Amino acid sequence: MTTLIKGGTVVSATGADPAEVLIDGEQIEAVLRPGSDIAAAAEQGAEVVDATGRLVVPGGVDVHTHMELPFGGTFASDTFETGTRAAAWGGTTTIVDFAVQTYGENVRECLDAWMAKAEGNCAIDYGFHMIIGGVDNDALKEMDLLVNEGITSFKLFMAYPGVMLSDDGQILRAMQQAAGNGGLIMMHAENGLAIDVLAEQAFERGEISPVNHGYVRRKELESEATHRAVQLAKVGAAPLYIVHLSASEALEQVAIARDGGMNVFAETCPQYLHFSLEEHLDRPGFEGAGYVCSTPLRSRAEGHQDDLWRGLRTNDLAVVSTDHCPFCMKEQKELGLNDFRAIPNGIGGVEHRMDMIYQGVVTGEIGLARWVELCATTPARMMGLYPRKGIIAPGSDADVVIYDPDKQWTISVDNHHMNMDYSAYEGVGVTGHVDTVFSRGRKVIDGGRYLGRAGDGRYLPRGLSQYLM
Ligand code: URP
Ligand code: ZN
Ligand code: ZN
């Protein structure tokens, strides 16, 4: 069974050209020059998909999602089934989610539990990082085994004392282990001990509303932790990937490390580029709870958003992921009605990443090729999935999105597909639209219809980060 996508402009991390894409079964067979004899021959017997006036881009690769994450006495509201379906609607065809181990738990048992949650339920392909919330000798040994089995990255936390936080000694030991086994350390870089002091003091002063989450998670405490993580990585001789970076000052630390020649990488997320503390987290009443995430949204007056767009251009920020961690307002975010500290941390956005970063193309912040590089090619390379994922090229998986660059529409809880009772993006006007999505050659989204199936997504054992080779 072959499919020929013709008439479109194929976009890669290096440019955009008119081309025809021939899909054979689950793979890309060829990328052909329009009007060539081979393209004409390929059309015979193929299903022809007309992409005239559209962009043809590699399926998005979102390397930071949290389906079903336990947090603050509740669970992220998307299951692997609902979350991967929503991802497909938004043009993302691969996710890398986080299996979670905490103090005293066995890494292997935790991983098995997360595999079981995902297996048979995903609409698109998926892999796992491992959160090591309890760095002990057993966990360190297990890291070596996991790397050989395709779990090649490990998230550590400098935040959330008593739940996930690793102290500096534990971080150093995990980094040394990764230096030895080739794994990539991903760091949640916020000084959680200091944040908890400020949070308690704010609460005692009666400052209980959601915006206080942003006030106490100060930019200095993100940049201090980022600096410390970089220094520990230098001592441990390990590569480092800073997750969900939101503060200009943290970005500066990454830039200094990179300019000094270190293998330090960072991602940001659409919410940090488009939202702010003043306009979103500080909304009246309890509305700001819908924007509580960590690291927090930053002040627009201070210019963080502009700095993050600049970081995307300079490559100090190499990846855009979502940190998709959805909670409903009812019964979930509402847990913190009288205490901002009890609001579950996270924003759902797995469906909107491709569109929200495309807005940067529309406004001239980045170019088309950079859009694809940030949302598909680099995340695939960073997490050892390239060239199977992240590029339209012969032999790659046929994960392809046909994107209308001109369609205008408005995001709403009424038209999104994530399992949430609100949308953080409510009322946001978007130029550009995901029309058709192929996942390993199968159409899963076609002109407003979902054709995918839970269970069609396959588990992806990953190689080592291809930025370390
Ligand atoms: O607010 C967030 N980011 N929630 C998910 C957990 C994490 O730290 O990534
Ligand atoms: Zn985190
Ligand atoms: Zn996260």
Side-chain angles (χ1 to χ4, degrees), residues 205-225:
R205 289 192 301 269
E207 294 159 5
I208 59 167
S209 66
V211 70
N212 291 289
H213 174 85
Y215 293 151
V216 302
R217 300 187 94 86
R218 292 177 58 141
K219 60 190 179 186
E220 292 84 353
L221 300 178
E222 185 184 347
S223 83
E224 181 277 327

Side-chain angles (χ1 to χ4, degrees), residues 64 66 69 155 157 160 188 244 293-294 323 325 345-346:
H64 190 152
H66 297 286
L69 178 77
K155 185 176 177 190
F157 289 80
Y160 308 135
H188 181 132
H244 50 52
C293 59
S294 296
D323 193 10
C325 191
N345 289 195

Side-chain angles (χ1 to χ4, degrees), residues 248 251 255 273 304-317 365:
S248 307
L251 179 58
L273 294 158
H304 300 275
Q305 295 77 5
D306 289 344
D307 287 341
L308 296 182
W309 281 113
R310 181 175 47 78
L312 292 177
R313 288 192 293 276
T314 62
N315 206 37
D316 288 325
L317 294 168
E365 296 281 2

